[in-house]
């Protein structure tokens, strides 16, 4: 299990990208339309550590709120079952996301399998395995 990225809610995507890239020195990766209540998604990356932030535009959301933490795993189903057996609450059962449903370079571009669980403190954990 490897930490992949943190996702935070923003209410102004342009300002969020400007803050993380121009002010804080992160590298812009991509920007893409969202789905449902998510109007838009962008990824930025720390140039030193390679850690990524997923910026999720939800105009009615609370800007700066953590949406989820993503871990890249070798086997989504096995990791999901293990965490579920340890008491994490089920969010979304493991599911395949086909190529083209998301157009994020190395972030959902090649297709993936993912699932969501919640910690006892209601923090959303996303598990992901890329094709």
């Amino acid at each position: 299990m490897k930490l992949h990225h943190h996702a935070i809610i923003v209410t102004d995507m342009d300002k969020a990208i400007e803050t993380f890239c121009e002010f804080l020195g992160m590298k812009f990766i991509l920007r893409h339309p969202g789905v449902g209540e998510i109007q838009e998604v962008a990824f930025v990356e720390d140039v030193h550590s390679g850690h990524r932030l997923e910026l999720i535009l939800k105009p009615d959301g609370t800007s700066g709120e953590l949406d989820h933490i993503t871990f890249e795993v070798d086997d989504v189903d096995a990791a999901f079952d293990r965490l579920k057996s340890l008491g994490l609450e089920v969010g979304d059962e493991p599911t395949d996301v086909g190529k083209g449903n998301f157009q994020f370079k190395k972030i959902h571009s090649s297709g993936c399998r993912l699932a969501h669980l919640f910690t006892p403190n209601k923090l959303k954990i996303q598990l992901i395995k890329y094709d």
Side-chain angles (χ1 to χ4, degrees), residues 65-82:
E65 183 177 286
L66 181 67
D67 185 75
H68 64 271
I69 298 175
T70 298
F71 290 88
E72 190 171 6
V73 297
D74 292 329
D75 183 330
V76 170
D77 295 84
F80 180 85
D81 290 342
R82 183 179 69 81

Side-chain angles (χ1 to χ4, degrees), residues 27-98:
K27 179 174 97 176
F28 175 78
I29 302 295
L30 61 93
R31 189 170 179 173
H32 189 274
V35 177
E37 68 179 18
I38 298 172
Q39 285 190 350
E40 194 173 17
V41 175
F43 279 86
V44 296
E45 181 178 87
D46 181 77
V47 296
H48 303 289
S49 69
H51 185 73
R52 292 180 174 169
L53 291 178
E54 178 180 9
L55 309 174
I56 298 174
L57 179 62
K58 287 185 182 179
D60 296 330
T62 302
S63 195
E65 183 177 286
L66 181 67
D67 185 75
H68 64 271
I69 298 175
T70 298
F71 290 88
E72 190 171 6
V73 297
D74 292 329
D75 183 330
V76 170
D77 295 84
F80 180 85
D81 290 342
R82 183 179 69 81
L83 293 171
K84 181 178 162 183
S85 75
L86 293 171
L88 268 63
E89 179 184 334
V90 173
D92 298 308
E93 296 279 339
T95 189
D96 292 317
V97 177

Side-chain angles (χ1 to χ4, degrees), residues 4-19:
H4 191 270
H5 69 268
H6 288 75
I8 59 172
I9 296 170
V10 301
T11 54
D12 184 327
M13 186 62 80
D14 292 328
K15 284 290 185 191
I17 291 171
E18 177 185 45
T19 299

